[in-house]
Amino acid sequence: MRRLVGVAVVMAGMALAFWLVLGPSSDWEGAARMMRFAVLLSCFLAIGGGARLISPDKSEGEAAENAG
């Protein structure tokens, strides 16, 4: 289930990032342009977080073993 959520987060982040880069009008100026850049950066964070959900650094058994 966790990997499926990770895949969904990665796909949604990639879709939004592609739309922001290729889709909307390039006539955005001022604050709207900065907001678009901030949303694009948050897409990269979402893609990274989704990748961690798909393949975490430690397996679930190791994390439980180290916790107690």
Side-chain angles (χ1 to χ4, degrees):
M1 179 69 177
R2 185 172 158 175
R3 291 179 190 220
L4 187 60
V5 171
V7 169
V9 168
V10 168
M11 295 303 282
M14 288 175 63
L16 183 57
F18 286 142
W19 180 77
L20 285 170
V21 170
L22 302 174
S25 174
S26 60
D27 295 335
W28 291 6
E29 295 295 328
R33 189 174 187 169
M34 296 308 262
M35 185 60 137
R36 184 175 100 180
F37 183 68
V39 172
L40 185 61
L41 287 178
S42 67
C43 287
F44 294 141
L45 290 174
I47 292 168
R52 283 187 160 237
L53 286 174
I54 293 170
S55 58
D57 290 340
K58 295 183 179 181
S59 69
E60 295 170 2
E62 285 181 35
E65 199 173 283
N66 291 337

